[in-house]
Amino acid sequence: SGPAAAYEPSMTTLAEIQVEIPGRKDGDPVMTQEEFQQGTEIYFQRCAGCHGVLRKGATGKPLTTDITRENGYDYLHSFITYGSPAGMPNWGTSGELTEEEIDLMARYILLDPPAPPEWGMDKMRESWNVVVAPEDRPTEKMNDIDIDNLMSVTLRDSGQIALIDGATYEMHAVIDTGYAVHISRISASGRYLFVIGRDALVNMIDLWMETPSTVAQIKVGMEARSVETSKMEGYEDKYAIAGAYWPPQYVIMDGDTLEPLKIKSTRGMIYDEQTYHPEPRVAAILSSHYRPEFIVNVKETGKILLVDYTDLENLTTTEIEAERFLHDGGLDSTHRYFITAANARNKLVVIDTKEGKLTAITETDGLTPHPGRGANFVHPDFGPVWATSHLGDESVALIGTDPEGHADNAWKIVDTFYALGGGSLFIKTHPESDNLYVDAPLNPDAETSASVAVFKISELSADADPEYTTLPIGEWAGIADGQPRVVQPEFNKAGDEVWFSVWNAKDKESAIVVVDDKTLELKEVIKDPRLITPTGKFNVYNTRADVY
Ligand code: DHE
């Protein structure tokens, strides 16, 4: 097993590293070392996700000093205070940052950013911990949980996940994971659950144990968002992969123990202009069902990598020129095509995972597509489509996904219609459902951000903008205190219930609301003191089989 004793996760989140003020230039605002350290912490917690550690920009604008110094202190101060309709949060007027903190941040970004340390094999192995060795794990399932219908629920601010039963709503376990957990993914067999924290800590959880718990852990960097496991026939449960934001790299690990096997840096040239980018972050990673490959989105350089995992010593990678600022995405209903958002470029990129090449790049009519894994369904007029909503406006875009049966529509935006409002993050349906659900958690209006739009798929038409039903999910949750946002619809295995997170502040009550998909009526409100800041929910079966 790995050297557990050396493992100290709290030492190495980006916000906690000790940094020094990089060479000040004449006229730079004066900052004490202490203030600079505090600015760095706030920057990593609040700003780096969108603007990048080195501030080269992605979902957020670049904040390199050539730009910030041109804009000046007053401009920066008011931008941080009031935000912008393009997506910059209003940190001041929302009360999330104090006046002192805003003053500090406006001065901070006038200085050059510090570069955090690297995280190679030495550090990874030090952090690696096999809690229960494979030979000490159960040889058969030791519980009577219907694993395929479990929901792994992110408890964002408590750094945990909850495993909630999809039929009884019972909470089977609450498990400590990394800081601000981002996603859960499931091994091909359905036995192992992989969870990654924003601090790049990966937890591998064995769902066969009497009470499911962590059997291995590793820290793959200092800032991360994605984890996945090998799904190709013959390679089920063999490898896991995690992608990091900092350092910009991915690592392939042993699927039984998380032993790190191969680390690849993603630093390199931007796909079109071929200039060097020091921080091309790894966004979504999916597992191909057609080839023994991981599909890796490299955000800033705009490349999609197809990483062949059959021979790690002679690693073969296909590098596809796509578009800058790749973010999330999912497979079409046949699992052959990967459709992903280049979100700050308002584009969708389609990859043929069977042939291993680019199929199309399509501009969406909306601003900043943000699909999650997207939603696949058969449109009455356009045939099979995949849908995304958008961060920047209320539009939903449909892209044709059937090059055989509906060649004219394939990989084109066949329709755009309107849901509740801007600030949508996720959209969802299920093969058994006639409903398309669209959330709007980042909408500035409290009522909108606590509601969900539902479209009847069978009533969609090429000729008219569809009507939708608004579900007041937040109201149904019956939470008196705070301003919860409703985020990320997720279906149960049967596809007859859909779950929504009612995401409130850390010190306030949150909930999960379960809706009957046939009647659109409230079925259950799940509340529990342990349900702190629920965000993503991942049904074991739907996640491992890519049903969405
Ligand atoms: Fe996410 C998926 C990155 C903010 C909840 N998020 C993803 C993926 C990426 C990503 C790259 C795709 C992973 C994959 O499929 O392998 N998210 C980022 C960011 O960079 C960003 C914009 C800013 C940040 O600082 O993190 C960000 N994300 C958020 C949130 O604020 C959300 C709403 C709450 C949270 O938990 O932090 C959030 N992201 C999610 C969820 C998914 C996700 C629930 C998985 C959706 C799915 O259905 O698969």
Side-chain angles (χ1 to χ4, degrees):
S1 81
Y7 177 66
E8 284 182 86
S10 62
M11 287 300 291
T12 41
T13 65
L14 270 182
E16 284 162 318
I17 2 160
Q18 294 299 308
V19 292
E20 280 173 20
I21 303 180
R24 278 190 64 235
K25 298 190 179 59
D26 278 352
D28 281 351
V30 178
M31 267 200 141
T32 62
Q33 174 65 41
E34 200 184 322
E35 284 179 319
F36 192 77
Q37 184 71 37
Q38 196 194 342
T40 303
E41 280 175 32
I42 295 176
Y43 185 84
F44 286 148
Q45 280 162 357
R46 310 282 194 160
C47 322
C50 290
H51 297 281
V53 168
L54 302 178
R55 304 194 207 143
K56 300 264 179 196
T59 318
K61 293 213 172 86
L63 296 174
T64 41
T65 48
D66 52 327
I67 298 167
T68 55
R69 286 177 193 155
E70 180 72 34
N71 289 330
Y73 172 88
D74 291 337
Y75 176 91
L76 298 170
H77 186 281
S78 102
F79 214 84
I80 301 169
T81 306
Y82 299 105
S84 83
M88 170 78 174
N90 50 334
W91 297 108
T93 49
S94 69
E96 290 193 64
L97 293 183
T98 63
E99 172 52 36
E100 291 72 39
E101 286 170 329
I102 290 171
D103 161 60
L104 180 87
M105 291 316 288
R107 285 185 288 140
Y108 175 79
I109 56 175
L110 287 164
L111 296 172
D112 284 327
E118 298 300 317
W119 197 268
M121 191 53 93
D122 51 343
K123 294 243 177 65
M124 275 197 211
R125 288 194 82 88
E126 243 174 64
S127 77
W128 174 46
N129 178 13
V130 180
V131 183
V132 183
E135 59 274 21
D136 299 331
R137 295 178 200 158
T139 50
E140 58 188 57
K141 186 157 87 78
M142 302 299 286
N143 55 54
D144 53 14
I145 302 170
D146 177 4
I147 288 179
D148 264 352
N149 200 21
L150 258 189
M151 292 277 189
S152 174
V153 178
T154 295
L155 304 178
R156 190 186 183 284
D157 294 356
S158 61
Q160 294 173 319
I161 55 136
L163 295 177
I164 305 183
D165 196 293
T168 64
Y169 314 122
E170 183 194 340
M171 218 181 267
H172 289 295
V174 173
I175 298 169
D176 288 337
T177 56
Y179 161 76
V181 187
H182 221 86
I183 62 167
S184 294
R185 295 288 185 247
I186 322 282
S187 72
S189 73
R191 172 173 183 173
Y192 292 112
L193 177 73
F194 296 84
V195 180
I196 189 149
R198 200 169 280 242
D199 58 356
L201 180 66
V202 180
N203 273 57
M204 176 175 169
I205 293 159
D206 185 355
L207 299 177
W208 278 13
M209 291 167 90
E210 203 174 316
T211 303
S213 62
T214 296
V215 290
Q217 263 186 332
I218 188 170
K219 203 163 148 50
V220 298
M222 269 167 282
E223 178 92 17
R225 301 289 183 278
S226 50
V227 67
E228 180 57 296
T229 86
S230 52
K231 289 187 179 164
M232 184 67 188
E233 212 183 316
Y235 292 90
E236 293 94 338
D237 297 20
K238 190 164 169 55
Y239 294 118
I241 181 172
Y245 269 17
W246 190 273
Q249 62 193 23
Y250 62 85
V251 55
I252 299 176
M253 299 160 284
D254 181 276
D256 271 336
T257 61
L258 293 183
E259 179 178 8
L261 302 174
K262 185 86 178 180
I263 308 171
K264 290 288 290 177
S265 171
T266 51
R267 289 189 176 105
M269 298 296 175
I270 298 171
Y271 84 96
D272 53 350
E273 63 184 39
Q274 303 191 41
T275 53
Y276 181 73
H277 200 293
E279 191 191 352
R281 298 176 287 173
V282 176
I285 301 181
L286 274 86
S287 205
S288 172
H289 293 253
Y290 279 85
R291 293 181 177 201
E293 287 176 345
F294 292 120
I295 307 162
V296 178
N297 270 357
V298 186
K299 195 187 274 281
E300 281 77 7
T301 49
K303 295 172 181 174
I304 299 177
L305 308 179
L306 306 178
V307 181
D308 182 331
Y309 49 69
T310 52
D311 181 358
L312 299 186
E313 281 163 22
N314 301 282
L315 195 74
T316 317
T317 303
T318 306
E319 183 183 293
I320 299 177
E321 293 182 2
E323 180 53 279
R324 255 174 271 185
F325 310 124
L326 297 167
H327 192 69
D328 51 359
L331 300 173
D332 77 310
S333 61
T334 69
H335 294 161
R336 173 168 170 178
Y337 297 95
F338 171 52
I339 310 154
T340 184
N343 62 15
R345 285 285 152 104
N346 306 334
K347 285 186 181 145
L348 295 175
V349 177
V350 184
I351 295 298
D352 181 346
T353 68
K354 188 173 170 198
E355 297 294 331
K357 52 185 184 206
L358 180 75
T359 300
I361 299 181
T362 308
E363 191 129 358
T364 72
D365 294 339
L367 290 173
T368 324
H370 191 283
R373 288 164 286 174
N376 287 295
F377 58 91
V378 179
H379 187 284
D381 295 330
F382 302 118
V385 295
W386 177 94
T388 181
S389 53
H390 295 77
L391 273 173
D393 66 13
E394 64 271 54
S395 67
V396 173
L398 310 184
I399 182 167
T401 57
D402 181 22
E404 308 267 298
H406 296 80
D408 286 354
N409 295 335
W411 320 125
K412 292 185 190 128
I413 303 297
V414 291
D415 201 12
T416 300
F417 50 81
Y418 304 97
L420 286 176
S424 174
L425 287 177
F426 301 107
I427 184 166
K428 190 70 53 111
T429 187
H430 184 278
E432 296 300 320
S433 169
D434 188 34
N435 292 318
L436 178 68
Y437 297 87
V438 187
D439 69 8
L442 301 187
N443 195 283
D445 176 61
E447 200 180 316
T448 308
S449 71
S451 302
V452 164
V454 194
F455 295 88
K456 275 262 163 272
I457 291 170
S458 55
E459 290 170 13
L460 295 176
S461 151
D463 303 324
D465 272 350
E467 304 276 313
Y468 59 80
T469 307
T470 305
L471 303 184
I473 303 287
E475 201 184 304
W476 286 351
I479 292 170
D481 198 13
Q483 214 189 78
R485 295 178 273 189
V486 169
V487 67
Q488 209 240 11
E490 177 78 348
F491 274 86
N492 64 348
K493 186 188 175 203
D496 57 10
E497 276 179 9
V498 58
W499 294 34
F500 299 91
S501 300
V502 183
W503 172 23
N504 210 346
K506 189 178 178 183
D507 56 352
K508 305 222 153 62
E509 187 178 49
S510 288
I512 287 175
V513 165
V514 182
V515 171
D516 184 313
D517 178 66
K518 295 287 169 294
T519 62
L520 295 185
E521 279 166 13
L522 173 66
K523 193 153 180 188
E524 183 81 18
V525 178
I526 306 173
K527 285 188 184 171
D528 189 296
R530 294 169 294 175
L531 206 57
I532 296 162
T533 57
T535 55
K537 300 162 298 304
F538 303 88
N539 173 270
V540 165
Y541 180 80
N542 295 338
T543 303
R544 79 177 161 91
D546 287 296
V547 178
Y548 37 76

